[in-house]
Short mmCIF file of all heavy atoms in Angstrom, two decimals:
data_model
loop_
_atom_site.label_atom_id
_atom_site.label_comp_id
_atom_site.label_asym_id
_atom_site.label_seq_id
_atom_site.Cartn_x
_atom_site.Cartn_y
_atom_site.Cartn_z
N MET G 1 35.18 -76.47 -25.28
CA MET G 1 33.86 -76.93 -24.93
C MET G 1 32.89 -75.77 -24.98
O MET G 1 33.14 -74.72 -24.43
CB MET G 1 33.93 -77.51 -23.51
CG MET G 1 32.64 -78.08 -23.03
SD MET G 1 32.91 -79.00 -21.52
CE MET G 1 32.12 -80.47 -22.00
N PRO G 2 31.73 -75.93 -25.64
CA PRO G 2 30.77 -74.81 -25.76
C PRO G 2 30.09 -74.53 -24.42
O PRO G 2 29.91 -75.42 -23.59
CB PRO G 2 29.76 -75.30 -26.76
CG PRO G 2 29.89 -76.77 -26.75
CD PRO G 2 31.30 -77.10 -26.36
N LYS G 3 29.72 -73.28 -24.26
CA LYS G 3 29.07 -72.90 -23.00
C LYS G 3 27.61 -73.43 -23.05
O LYS G 3 26.95 -73.47 -24.08
CB LYS G 3 28.95 -71.38 -22.88
CG LYS G 3 30.34 -70.80 -22.59
CD LYS G 3 30.16 -69.31 -22.31
CE LYS G 3 31.53 -68.72 -21.98
NZ LYS G 3 31.43 -67.30 -21.66
N VAL G 4 27.17 -73.81 -21.92
CA VAL G 4 25.82 -74.36 -21.78
C VAL G 4 24.89 -73.26 -21.31
O VAL G 4 25.16 -72.57 -20.32
CB VAL G 4 25.78 -75.51 -20.73
CG1 VAL G 4 24.35 -76.05 -20.57
CG2 VAL G 4 26.73 -76.64 -21.17
N ARG G 5 23.82 -73.04 -22.06
CA ARG G 5 22.86 -72.04 -21.66
C ARG G 5 21.87 -72.66 -20.69
O ARG G 5 21.37 -73.75 -20.92
CB ARG G 5 22.05 -71.51 -22.85
CG ARG G 5 22.80 -70.49 -23.62
CD ARG G 5 21.92 -69.90 -24.66
NE ARG G 5 21.68 -68.52 -24.27
CZ ARG G 5 20.94 -67.69 -24.98
NH1 ARG G 5 20.36 -68.11 -26.03
NH2 ARG G 5 20.75 -66.49 -24.60
N HIS G 6 21.62 -71.95 -19.64
CA HIS G 6 20.67 -72.45 -18.63
C HIS G 6 19.29 -71.97 -18.95
O HIS G 6 19.06 -71.06 -19.70
CB HIS G 6 21.12 -71.95 -17.24
CG HIS G 6 22.46 -72.49 -16.83
ND1 HIS G 6 22.63 -73.80 -16.42
CD2 HIS G 6 23.67 -71.91 -16.76
CE1 HIS G 6 23.92 -73.97 -16.12
NE2 HIS G 6 24.55 -72.82 -16.34
N ILE G 7 18.35 -72.61 -18.32
CA ILE G 7 16.96 -72.23 -18.51
C ILE G 7 16.68 -70.81 -18.05
O ILE G 7 15.77 -70.18 -18.56
CB ILE G 7 16.05 -73.25 -17.73
CG1 ILE G 7 16.18 -74.57 -18.42
CG2 ILE G 7 14.67 -72.75 -17.55
CD1 ILE G 7 14.93 -75.28 -18.74
N THR G 8 17.49 -70.28 -17.19
CA THR G 8 17.25 -68.91 -16.70
C THR G 8 17.35 -67.87 -17.83
O THR G 8 16.76 -66.80 -17.72
CB THR G 8 18.24 -68.53 -15.60
OG1 THR G 8 19.55 -68.68 -16.11
CG2 THR G 8 18.06 -69.42 -14.41
N ALA G 9 18.06 -68.24 -18.93
CA ALA G 9 18.12 -67.28 -20.02
C ALA G 9 16.74 -67.04 -20.61
O ALA G 9 16.43 -65.93 -20.99
CB ALA G 9 19.05 -67.82 -21.13
N LEU G 10 15.89 -68.06 -20.67
CA LEU G 10 14.54 -67.89 -21.15
C LEU G 10 13.76 -66.95 -20.23
O LEU G 10 13.02 -66.10 -20.69
CB LEU G 10 13.86 -69.22 -21.27
CG LEU G 10 12.44 -69.20 -21.82
CD1 LEU G 10 12.43 -68.65 -23.22
CD2 LEU G 10 11.84 -70.59 -21.80
N GLY G 11 13.99 -67.09 -18.95
CA GLY G 11 13.30 -66.22 -17.98
C GLY G 11 13.77 -64.75 -18.11
O GLY G 11 13.00 -63.84 -18.01
N GLU G 12 15.09 -64.57 -18.44
CA GLU G 12 15.59 -63.20 -18.63
C GLU G 12 14.97 -62.60 -19.88
O GLU G 12 14.66 -61.40 -19.92
CB GLU G 12 17.10 -63.25 -18.69
CG GLU G 12 17.77 -63.58 -17.42
CD GLU G 12 19.27 -63.80 -17.55
OE1 GLU G 12 19.78 -63.54 -18.63
OE2 GLU G 12 19.87 -64.19 -16.56
N ILE G 13 14.82 -63.38 -20.94
CA ILE G 13 14.20 -62.85 -22.14
C ILE G 13 12.78 -62.43 -21.86
O ILE G 13 12.29 -61.41 -22.30
CB ILE G 13 14.27 -63.90 -23.29
CG1 ILE G 13 15.72 -64.08 -23.69
CG2 ILE G 13 13.44 -63.48 -24.45
CD1 ILE G 13 15.95 -65.25 -24.66
N ALA G 14 12.05 -63.26 -21.14
CA ALA G 14 10.66 -62.96 -20.80
C ALA G 14 10.59 -61.68 -19.95
O ALA G 14 9.68 -60.88 -20.13
CB ALA G 14 10.02 -64.13 -20.10
N LYS G 15 11.52 -61.47 -19.07
CA LYS G 15 11.54 -60.30 -18.22
C LYS G 15 11.77 -59.03 -19.09
O LYS G 15 11.15 -58.00 -18.88
CB LYS G 15 12.60 -60.37 -17.14
CG LYS G 15 12.30 -61.31 -16.04
CD LYS G 15 13.44 -61.37 -15.04
CE LYS G 15 13.25 -62.48 -14.04
NZ LYS G 15 14.39 -62.58 -13.12
N GLU G 16 12.69 -59.13 -20.04
CA GLU G 16 12.94 -58.00 -20.92
C GLU G 16 11.74 -57.64 -21.75
O GLU G 16 11.39 -56.46 -21.88
CB GLU G 16 14.11 -58.32 -21.83
CG GLU G 16 15.46 -58.34 -21.16
CD GLU G 16 16.58 -58.75 -22.10
OE1 GLU G 16 16.38 -58.77 -23.30
OE2 GLU G 16 17.68 -59.07 -21.59
N GLU G 17 11.06 -58.64 -22.28
CA GLU G 17 9.84 -58.39 -23.07
C GLU G 17 8.74 -57.79 -22.18
O GLU G 17 7.99 -56.93 -22.61
CB GLU G 17 9.36 -59.65 -23.75
CG GLU G 17 10.27 -60.13 -24.86
CD GLU G 17 9.87 -61.44 -25.45
OE1 GLU G 17 8.84 -61.98 -24.99
OE2 GLU G 17 10.55 -61.85 -26.40
N PHE G 18 8.64 -58.25 -20.94
CA PHE G 18 7.61 -57.73 -20.01
C PHE G 18 7.92 -56.29 -19.71
O PHE G 18 6.99 -55.47 -19.71
CB PHE G 18 7.62 -58.59 -18.77
CG PHE G 18 6.66 -58.09 -17.74
CD1 PHE G 18 5.32 -58.29 -17.89
CD2 PHE G 18 7.12 -57.46 -16.58
CE1 PHE G 18 4.41 -57.83 -16.98
CE2 PHE G 18 6.23 -57.03 -15.63
CZ PHE G 18 4.88 -57.19 -15.82
N MET G 19 9.19 -55.96 -19.48
CA MET G 19 9.51 -54.56 -19.17
C MET G 19 9.29 -53.67 -20.40
O MET G 19 8.89 -52.50 -20.25
CB MET G 19 10.96 -54.45 -18.72
CG MET G 19 11.15 -54.96 -17.31
SD MET G 19 10.05 -54.19 -16.09
CE MET G 19 10.61 -52.50 -16.10
N GLU G 20 9.57 -54.18 -21.61
CA GLU G 20 9.30 -53.39 -22.81
C GLU G 20 7.80 -53.10 -22.95
O GLU G 20 7.43 -52.05 -23.41
CB GLU G 20 9.81 -54.09 -24.04
CG GLU G 20 11.30 -54.05 -24.20
CD GLU G 20 11.80 -54.77 -25.44
OE1 GLU G 20 10.97 -55.05 -26.33
OE2 GLU G 20 12.98 -55.02 -25.51
N ALA G 21 6.94 -54.00 -22.54
CA ALA G 21 5.54 -53.81 -22.61
C ALA G 21 5.01 -52.93 -21.47
O ALA G 21 4.06 -52.15 -21.61
CB ALA G 21 4.81 -55.11 -22.61
N LEU G 22 5.68 -52.98 -20.34
CA LEU G 22 5.24 -52.27 -19.14
C LEU G 22 5.72 -50.81 -19.15
O LEU G 22 5.01 -49.95 -18.60
CB LEU G 22 5.72 -52.99 -17.89
CG LEU G 22 5.16 -52.53 -16.57
CD1 LEU G 22 3.65 -52.69 -16.53
CD2 LEU G 22 5.81 -53.30 -15.44
N LEU G 23 6.85 -50.52 -19.73
CA LEU G 23 7.43 -49.19 -19.67
C LEU G 23 6.50 -48.12 -20.24
O LEU G 23 6.32 -47.06 -19.57
CB LEU G 23 8.77 -49.18 -20.34
CG LEU G 23 9.54 -47.88 -20.18
CD1 LEU G 23 9.84 -47.62 -18.72
CD2 LEU G 23 10.86 -47.95 -20.96
N PRO G 24 5.87 -48.30 -21.41
CA PRO G 24 4.99 -47.24 -21.87
C PRO G 24 3.82 -46.97 -20.95
O PRO G 24 3.37 -45.84 -20.76
CB PRO G 24 4.48 -47.78 -23.22
CG PRO G 24 5.49 -48.77 -23.66
CD PRO G 24 6.03 -49.35 -22.40
N PHE G 25 3.30 -48.01 -20.32
CA PHE G 25 2.21 -47.87 -19.35
C PHE G 25 2.62 -47.02 -18.18
O PHE G 25 1.91 -46.12 -17.73
CB PHE G 25 1.72 -49.23 -18.90
CG PHE G 25 0.59 -49.23 -17.92
CD1 PHE G 25 -0.69 -48.92 -18.35
CD2 PHE G 25 0.82 -49.48 -16.59
CE1 PHE G 25 -1.73 -48.86 -17.42
CE2 PHE G 25 -0.22 -49.48 -15.68
CZ PHE G 25 -1.53 -49.14 -16.11
N ILE G 26 3.84 -47.28 -17.66
CA ILE G 26 4.34 -46.47 -16.54
C ILE G 26 4.54 -45.03 -16.91
O ILE G 26 4.22 -44.12 -16.17
CB ILE G 26 5.64 -47.14 -16.01
CG1 ILE G 26 5.33 -48.49 -15.40
CG2 ILE G 26 6.33 -46.24 -14.99
CD1 ILE G 26 6.57 -49.29 -15.01
N VAL G 27 5.08 -44.81 -18.11
CA VAL G 27 5.31 -43.43 -18.62
C VAL G 27 3.95 -42.72 -18.76
O VAL G 27 3.85 -41.55 -18.37
CB VAL G 27 6.09 -43.47 -19.94
CG1 VAL G 27 6.05 -42.10 -20.62
CG2 VAL G 27 7.48 -43.95 -19.74
N GLN G 28 2.94 -43.40 -19.25
CA GLN G 28 1.61 -42.79 -19.39
C GLN G 28 1.02 -42.42 -18.05
O GLN G 28 0.41 -41.38 -17.88
CB GLN G 28 0.68 -43.70 -20.13
CG GLN G 28 1.01 -43.89 -21.59
CD GLN G 28 0.26 -45.02 -22.23
OE1 GLN G 28 -0.52 -45.73 -21.60
NE2 GLN G 28 0.49 -45.21 -23.52
N LEU G 29 1.20 -43.29 -17.06
CA LEU G 29 0.74 -43.01 -15.70
C LEU G 29 1.38 -41.76 -15.12
O LEU G 29 0.73 -40.87 -14.58
CB LEU G 29 0.98 -44.19 -14.76
CG LEU G 29 0.03 -45.36 -14.84
CD1 LEU G 29 0.53 -46.49 -13.93
CD2 LEU G 29 -1.35 -44.96 -14.40
N ILE G 30 2.69 -41.70 -15.24
CA ILE G 30 3.41 -40.58 -14.67
C ILE G 30 3.08 -39.29 -15.40
O ILE G 30 2.84 -38.27 -14.80
CB ILE G 30 4.95 -40.86 -14.68
CG1 ILE G 30 5.25 -42.02 -13.70
CG2 ILE G 30 5.75 -39.64 -14.34
CD1 ILE G 30 6.67 -42.57 -13.83
N ALA G 31 3.10 -39.34 -16.72
CA ALA G 31 2.80 -38.13 -17.51
C ALA G 31 1.37 -37.65 -17.25
O ALA G 31 1.12 -36.48 -17.12
CB ALA G 31 3.00 -38.40 -19.00
N GLY G 32 0.44 -38.61 -17.11
CA GLY G 32 -0.93 -38.23 -16.83
C GLY G 32 -1.08 -37.62 -15.44
O GLY G 32 -1.79 -36.65 -15.25
N ALA G 33 -0.37 -38.18 -14.48
CA ALA G 33 -0.41 -37.58 -13.11
C ALA G 33 0.13 -36.16 -13.08
O ALA G 33 -0.45 -35.27 -12.49
CB ALA G 33 0.33 -38.47 -12.13
N ILE G 34 1.24 -35.96 -13.78
CA ILE G 34 1.83 -34.63 -13.86
C ILE G 34 0.88 -33.68 -14.61
O ILE G 34 0.64 -32.54 -14.19
CB ILE G 34 3.22 -34.66 -14.54
CG1 ILE G 34 4.19 -35.41 -13.62
CG2 ILE G 34 3.71 -33.26 -14.84
CD1 ILE G 34 5.52 -35.75 -14.27
N GLY G 35 0.32 -34.19 -15.71
CA GLY G 35 -0.60 -33.36 -16.49
C GLY G 35 -1.87 -33.02 -15.73
O GLY G 35 -2.37 -31.86 -15.83
N GLY G 36 -2.40 -33.94 -14.95
CA GLY G 36 -3.58 -33.66 -14.13
C GLY G 36 -3.33 -32.58 -13.09
O GLY G 36 -4.18 -31.69 -12.89
N ASN G 37 -2.17 -32.63 -12.48
CA ASN G 37 -1.85 -31.61 -11.49
C ASN G 37 -1.59 -30.27 -12.14
O ASN G 37 -1.97 -29.21 -11.61
CB ASN G 37 -0.66 -32.08 -10.65
CG ASN G 37 -1.00 -33.06 -9.61
OD1 ASN G 37 -1.91 -32.86 -8.81
ND2 ASN G 37 -0.33 -34.23 -9.67
N ALA G 38 -0.95 -30.29 -13.32
CA ALA G 38 -0.66 -29.04 -14.02
C ALA G 38 -1.95 -28.39 -14.49
O ALA G 38 -2.15 -27.17 -14.45
CB ALA G 38 0.28 -29.31 -15.19
N ALA G 39 -2.90 -29.21 -15.01
CA ALA G 39 -4.18 -28.65 -15.48
C ALA G 39 -4.98 -28.06 -14.33
O ALA G 39 -5.56 -26.99 -14.47
CB ALA G 39 -4.98 -29.79 -16.17
N CYS G 40 -4.99 -28.72 -13.18
CA CYS G 40 -5.72 -28.13 -12.05
C CYS G 40 -5.04 -26.90 -11.54
O CYS G 40 -5.74 -25.91 -11.15
CB CYS G 40 -5.79 -29.19 -10.90
SG CYS G 40 -7.05 -30.41 -11.16
N ALA G 41 -3.74 -26.81 -11.59
CA ALA G 41 -3.05 -25.61 -11.17
C ALA G 41 -3.32 -24.47 -12.16
O ALA G 41 -3.52 -23.30 -11.74
CB ALA G 41 -1.57 -25.89 -11.11
N ALA G 42 -3.36 -24.76 -13.45
CA ALA G 42 -3.61 -23.73 -14.46
C ALA G 42 -5.06 -23.23 -14.37
O ALA G 42 -5.30 -22.04 -14.56
CB ALA G 42 -3.33 -24.29 -15.86
N LEU G 43 -5.98 -24.09 -14.05
CA LEU G 43 -7.37 -23.71 -13.95
C LEU G 43 -7.72 -23.17 -12.54
O LEU G 43 -8.88 -22.79 -12.30
CB LEU G 43 -8.27 -24.88 -14.30
CG LEU G 43 -8.17 -25.38 -15.73
CD1 LEU G 43 -8.97 -26.63 -15.94
CD2 LEU G 43 -8.64 -24.31 -16.69
N LYS G 44 -6.74 -23.25 -11.66
CA LYS G 44 -6.94 -22.83 -10.25
C LYS G 44 -8.10 -23.57 -9.58
O LYS G 44 -8.94 -22.94 -8.92
CB LYS G 44 -7.10 -21.30 -10.17
CG LYS G 44 -5.91 -20.55 -10.69
CD LYS G 44 -6.02 -19.09 -10.46
CE LYS G 44 -4.91 -18.27 -10.87
NZ LYS G 44 -3.83 -18.43 -11.55
N GLN G 45 -8.13 -24.84 -9.80
CA GLN G 45 -9.16 -25.68 -9.17
C GLN G 45 -8.59 -26.27 -7.88
O GLN G 45 -8.12 -27.36 -7.83
CB GLN G 45 -9.51 -26.86 -10.13
CG GLN G 45 -10.08 -26.36 -11.46
CD GLN G 45 -11.57 -26.58 -11.51
OE1 GLN G 45 -12.10 -27.36 -10.78
NE2 GLN G 45 -12.19 -25.83 -12.37
N HIS G 46 -8.74 -25.54 -6.79
CA HIS G 46 -8.20 -26.00 -5.51
C HIS G 46 -9.21 -26.81 -4.75
O HIS G 46 -8.90 -27.33 -3.66
CB HIS G 46 -7.73 -24.79 -4.69
CG HIS G 46 -6.61 -24.05 -5.35
ND1 HIS G 46 -5.40 -24.56 -5.53
CD2 HIS G 46 -6.60 -22.80 -5.91
CE1 HIS G 46 -4.61 -23.69 -6.16
NE2 HIS G 46 -5.31 -22.61 -6.40
N ALA G 47 -10.42 -26.96 -5.23
CA ALA G 47 -11.42 -27.73 -4.56
C ALA G 47 -11.13 -29.23 -4.67
O ALA G 47 -11.58 -30.02 -3.82
CB ALA G 47 -12.83 -27.45 -5.15
N ILE G 48 -10.38 -29.62 -5.67
CA ILE G 48 -10.04 -31.02 -5.85
C ILE G 48 -8.69 -31.27 -5.12
O ILE G 48 -7.72 -30.54 -5.37
CB ILE G 48 -9.89 -31.38 -7.34
CG1 ILE G 48 -11.21 -31.03 -8.10
CG2 ILE G 48 -9.53 -32.82 -7.53
CD1 ILE G 48 -11.08 -31.16 -9.56
N ASN G 49 -8.63 -32.28 -4.28
CA ASN G 49 -7.40 -32.50 -3.54
C ASN G 49 -6.32 -33.13 -4.45
O ASN G 49 -6.63 -33.61 -5.55
CB ASN G 49 -7.61 -33.28 -2.25
CG ASN G 49 -7.96 -34.73 -2.52
OD1 ASN G 49 -7.92 -35.23 -3.65
ND2 ASN G 49 -8.34 -35.43 -1.46
N VAL G 50 -5.12 -33.16 -3.94
CA VAL G 50 -3.94 -33.58 -4.74
C VAL G 50 -4.08 -35.05 -5.16
O VAL G 50 -3.78 -35.36 -6.32
CB VAL G 50 -2.64 -33.35 -3.95
CG1 VAL G 50 -1.46 -33.88 -4.71
CG2 VAL G 50 -2.47 -31.89 -3.66
N VAL G 51 -4.52 -35.90 -4.26
CA VAL G 51 -4.63 -37.31 -4.59
C VAL G 51 -5.64 -37.53 -5.68
O VAL G 51 -5.40 -38.30 -6.64
CB VAL G 51 -5.01 -38.11 -3.32
CG1 VAL G 51 -5.23 -39.56 -3.61
CG2 VAL G 51 -3.90 -37.96 -2.26
N ALA G 52 -6.81 -36.91 -5.61
CA ALA G 52 -7.87 -37.10 -6.60
C ALA G 52 -7.42 -36.60 -7.98
O ALA G 52 -7.64 -37.30 -8.99
CB ALA G 52 -9.11 -36.34 -6.17
N ARG G 53 -6.74 -35.44 -8.04
CA ARG G 53 -6.33 -35.00 -9.37
C ARG G 53 -5.15 -35.78 -9.91
O ARG G 53 -5.02 -35.96 -11.10
CB ARG G 53 -6.04 -33.47 -9.35
CG ARG G 53 -4.97 -33.02 -8.45
CD ARG G 53 -4.87 -31.53 -8.49
NE ARG G 53 -3.98 -31.07 -7.45
CZ ARG G 53 -4.06 -29.93 -6.82
NH1 ARG G 53 -5.01 -29.08 -7.11
NH2 ARG G 53 -3.18 -29.62 -5.91
N THR G 54 -4.32 -36.35 -9.04
CA THR G 54 -3.21 -37.23 -9.49
C THR G 54 -3.80 -38.51 -10.08
O THR G 54 -3.39 -38.97 -11.13
CB THR G 54 -2.28 -37.54 -8.34
OG1 THR G 54 -1.73 -36.32 -7.86
CG2 THR G 54 -1.15 -38.44 -8.80
N ILE G 55 -4.77 -39.07 -9.39
CA ILE G 55 -5.39 -40.33 -9.88
C ILE G 55 -6.16 -40.06 -11.20
O ILE G 55 -6.06 -40.85 -12.14
CB ILE G 55 -6.32 -40.91 -8.79
CG1 ILE G 55 -5.45 -41.43 -7.65
CG2 ILE G 55 -7.19 -42.04 -9.39
CD1 ILE G 55 -6.29 -41.88 -6.46
N ALA G 56 -6.90 -38.97 -11.22
CA ALA G 56 -7.64 -38.63 -12.43
C ALA G 56 -6.71 -38.40 -13.61
O ALA G 56 -6.98 -38.81 -14.73
CB ALA G 56 -8.54 -37.41 -12.20
N GLY G 57 -5.59 -37.69 -13.36
CA GLY G 57 -4.63 -37.47 -14.38
C GLY G 57 -3.97 -38.74 -14.88
O GLY G 57 -3.75 -38.93 -16.09
N ALA G 58 -3.67 -39.69 -13.96
CA ALA G 58 -3.09 -40.93 -14.35
C ALA G 58 -4.02 -41.77 -15.21
O ALA G 58 -3.65 -42.37 -16.21
CB ALA G 58 -2.66 -41.73 -13.09
N ILE G 59 -5.31 -41.75 -14.83
CA ILE G 59 -6.32 -42.49 -15.63
C ILE G 59 -6.43 -41.83 -16.98
O ILE G 59 -6.50 -42.53 -18.04
CB ILE G 59 -7.66 -42.49 -14.91
CG1 ILE G 59 -7.57 -43.38 -13.65
CG2 ILE G 59 -8.80 -43.00 -15.83
CD1 ILE G 59 -8.78 -43.26 -12.71
N GLY G 60 -6.40 -40.52 -17.04
CA GLY G 60 -6.45 -39.82 -18.32
C GLY G 60 -5.23 -40.08 -19.18
O GLY G 60 -5.34 -40.20 -20.41
N GLY G 61 -4.08 -40.19 -18.56
CA GLY G 61 -2.85 -40.50 -19.29
C GLY G 61 -2.88 -41.83 -19.93
O GLY G 61 -2.53 -42.03 -21.08
N VAL G 62 -3.40 -42.84 -19.18
CA VAL G 62 -3.48 -44.17 -19.75
C VAL G 62 -4.55 -44.22 -20.85
O VAL G 62 -4.37 -44.81 -21.90
CB VAL G 62 -3.81 -45.20 -18.63
CG1 VAL G 62 -4.13 -46.57 -19.20
CG2 VAL G 62 -2.64 -45.31 -17.69
N GLY G 63 -5.68 -43.55 -20.60
CA GLY G 63 -6.72 -43.53 -21.60
C GLY G 63 -6.26 -42.82 -22.87
O GLY G 63 -6.51 -43.26 -23.98
N GLY G 64 -5.50 -41.73 -22.72
CA GLY G 64 -4.97 -41.06 -23.89
C GLY G 64 -3.98 -41.90 -24.64
O GLY G 64 -3.92 -41.89 -25.89
N GLY G 65 -3.16 -42.67 -23.93
CA GLY G 65 -2.24 -43.57 -24.54
C GLY G 65 -2.93 -44.65 -25.33
O GLY G 65 -2.53 -45.01 -26.46
N ILE G 66 -3.99 -45.19 -24.80
CA ILE G 66 -4.80 -46.21 -25.48
C ILE G 66 -5.44 -45.62 -26.76
O ILE G 66 -5.41 -46.24 -27.83
CB ILE G 66 -5.87 -46.83 -24.54
CG1 ILE G 66 -5.17 -47.65 -23.44
CG2 ILE G 66 -6.87 -47.64 -25.31
CD1 ILE G 66 -6.10 -48.07 -22.36
N LEU G 67 -6.00 -44.42 -26.61
CA LEU G 67 -6.64 -43.77 -27.78
C LEU G 67 -5.62 -43.47 -28.88
O LEU G 67 -5.93 -43.65 -30.04
CB LEU G 67 -7.35 -42.50 -27.35
CG LEU G 67 -8.63 -42.69 -26.56
CD1 LEU G 67 -9.20 -41.38 -26.12
CD2 LEU G 67 -9.68 -43.45 -27.40
N SER G 68 -4.43 -43.01 -28.49
CA SER G 68 -3.44 -42.72 -29.49
C SER G 68 -2.94 -43.98 -30.20
O SER G 68 -2.68 -44.00 -31.41
CB SER G 68 -2.26 -41.97 -28.90
OG SER G 68 -1.53 -42.74 -28.02
N THR G 69 -2.86 -45.05 -29.43
CA THR G 69 -2.49 -46.37 -30.04
C THR G 69 -3.58 -46.80 -31.03
O THR G 69 -3.26 -47.23 -32.16
CB THR G 69 -2.28 -47.42 -28.98
OG1 THR G 69 -1.24 -46.99 -28.11
CG2 THR G 69 -1.89 -48.74 -29.57
N LEU G 70 -4.84 -46.71 -30.60
CA LEU G 70 -5.93 -47.09 -31.48
C LEU G 70 -5.97 -46.22 -32.73
O LEU G 70 -6.23 -46.70 -33.84
CB LEU G 70 -7.26 -47.02 -30.75
CG LEU G 70 -7.47 -48.10 -29.70
CD1 LEU G 70 -8.75 -47.86 -28.93
CD2 LEU G 70 -7.47 -49.49 -30.29
N ALA G 71 -5.75 -44.92 -32.57
CA ALA G 71 -5.76 -44.03 -33.73
C ALA G 71 -4.64 -44.38 -34.69
O ALA G 71 -4.80 -44.36 -35.88
CB ALA G 71 -5.60 -42.59 -33.26
N GLY G 72 -3.51 -44.75 -34.17
CA GLY G 72 -2.39 -45.17 -35.01
C GLY G 72 -2.70 -46.43 -35.76
O GLY G 72 -2.38 -46.57 -36.94
N LEU G 73 -3.36 -47.39 -35.12
CA LEU G 73 -3.76 -48.63 -35.76
C LEU G 73 -4.78 -48.37 -36.89
O LEU G 73 -4.71 -48.92 -37.95
CB LEU G 73 -4.32 -49.59 -34.75
CG LEU G 73 -3.36 -50.18 -33.74
CD1 LEU G 73 -4.05 -51.04 -32.72
CD2 LEU G 73 -2.28 -51.01 -34.43
N VAL G 74 -5.73 -47.47 -36.60
CA VAL G 74 -6.75 -47.12 -37.59
C VAL G 74 -6.10 -46.44 -38.80
O VAL G 74 -6.41 -46.77 -39.93
CB VAL G 74 -7.85 -46.26 -36.97
CG1 VAL G 74 -8.77 -45.65 -38.04
CG2 VAL G 74 -8.64 -47.02 -35.99
N MET G 75 -5.19 -45.53 -38.57
CA MET G 75 -4.52 -44.83 -39.63
C MET G 75 -3.63 -45.78 -40.46
O MET G 75 -3.58 -45.66 -41.68
CB MET G 75 -3.69 -43.67 -39.09
CG MET G 75 -4.52 -42.56 -38.49
SD MET G 75 -5.74 -41.86 -39.65
CE MET G 75 -4.66 -41.05 -40.77
N ALA G 76 -2.97 -46.67 -39.79
CA ALA G 76 -2.14 -47.67 -40.50
C ALA G 76 -3.00 -48.57 -41.37
O ALA G 76 -2.61 -48.89 -42.52
CB ALA G 76 -1.34 -48.49 -39.51
N ARG G 77 -4.16 -48.91 -40.88
CA ARG G 77 -5.06 -49.79 -41.65
C ARG G 77 -5.64 -49.01 -42.84
O ARG G 77 -5.88 -49.57 -43.89
CB ARG G 77 -6.16 -50.31 -40.77
CG ARG G 77 -7.10 -51.24 -41.47
CD ARG G 77 -7.42 -52.40 -40.59
NE ARG G 77 -8.42 -53.21 -41.23
CZ ARG G 77 -8.15 -54.42 -41.64
NH1 ARG G 77 -6.96 -54.94 -41.44
NH2 ARG G 77 -9.08 -55.15 -42.21
N ALA G 78 -5.92 -47.72 -42.67
CA ALA G 78 -6.49 -46.90 -43.71
C ALA G 78 -5.51 -46.69 -44.88
O ALA G 78 -5.94 -46.52 -46.00
CB ALA G 78 -6.93 -45.58 -43.15
N HIS G 79 -4.24 -46.72 -44.58
CA HIS G 79 -3.24 -46.51 -45.64
C HIS G 79 -2.79 -47.77 -46.37
O HIS G 79 -1.83 -47.76 -47.14
CB HIS G 79 -2.03 -45.80 -45.07
CG HIS G 79 -2.31 -44.39 -44.69
ND1 HIS G 79 -2.90 -43.46 -45.54
CD2 HIS G 79 -2.06 -43.70 -43.55
CE1 HIS G 79 -3.02 -42.33 -44.96
NE2 HIS G 79 -2.53 -42.40 -43.72
N ARG G 80 -3.44 -48.88 -46.12
CA ARG G 80 -3.07 -50.12 -46.80
C ARG G 80 -3.60 -50.19 -48.19
O ARG G 80 -4.50 -49.70 -48.67
CB ARG G 80 -3.65 -51.33 -46.05
CG ARG G 80 -2.80 -51.65 -44.86
CD ARG G 80 -3.25 -52.92 -44.25
NE ARG G 80 -2.47 -53.23 -43.09
CZ ARG G 80 -2.61 -54.27 -42.34
NH1 ARG G 80 -3.52 -55.20 -42.68
NH2 ARG G 80 -1.91 -54.48 -41.29
#
């Protein structure tokens, strides 16, 4: 007798696709937060508190990720 697939399999597929889409965003947030703190440390900017530079770095990381994606799309279109 063949195994019966339940509707939950569709939900599991949707979860996997959601995580594949969400993972780059999370990586950009974390890398941006680390980069923001590293940049402030290198520039010796102690006037900005840790929370502000972490948030600014995270926003910069996401913005950089979006720009790099857009640049890749533009370059791919230019080579057609």
Side-chain angles (χ1 to χ4, degrees):
M1 180 169 233
K3 290 186 178 182
V4 177
R5 279 188 113 179
H6 297 285
I7 291 230
T8 58
L10 182 61
E12 291 172 7
I13 292 171
K15 287 179 189 176
E16 289 176 13
E17 290 175 359
F18 178 72
M19 286 307 295
E20 285 181 14
L22 189 61
L23 188 61
F25 181 73
I26 293 171
V27 169
Q28 290 168 358
L29 280 174
I30 293 170
I34 292 170
N37 284 305
C40 282
L43 296 173
K44 298 188 179 7
Q45 300 256 339
H46 298 294
I48 303 171
N49 71 7
V50 176
V51 175
R53 61 184 171 210
T54 301
I55 291 171
I59 292 170
V62 171
I66 291 170
L67 288 176
S68 67
T69 301
L70 289 176
L73 292 174
V74 168
M75 294 302 292
R77 182 138 176 115
H79 290 310
R80 282 188 181 180

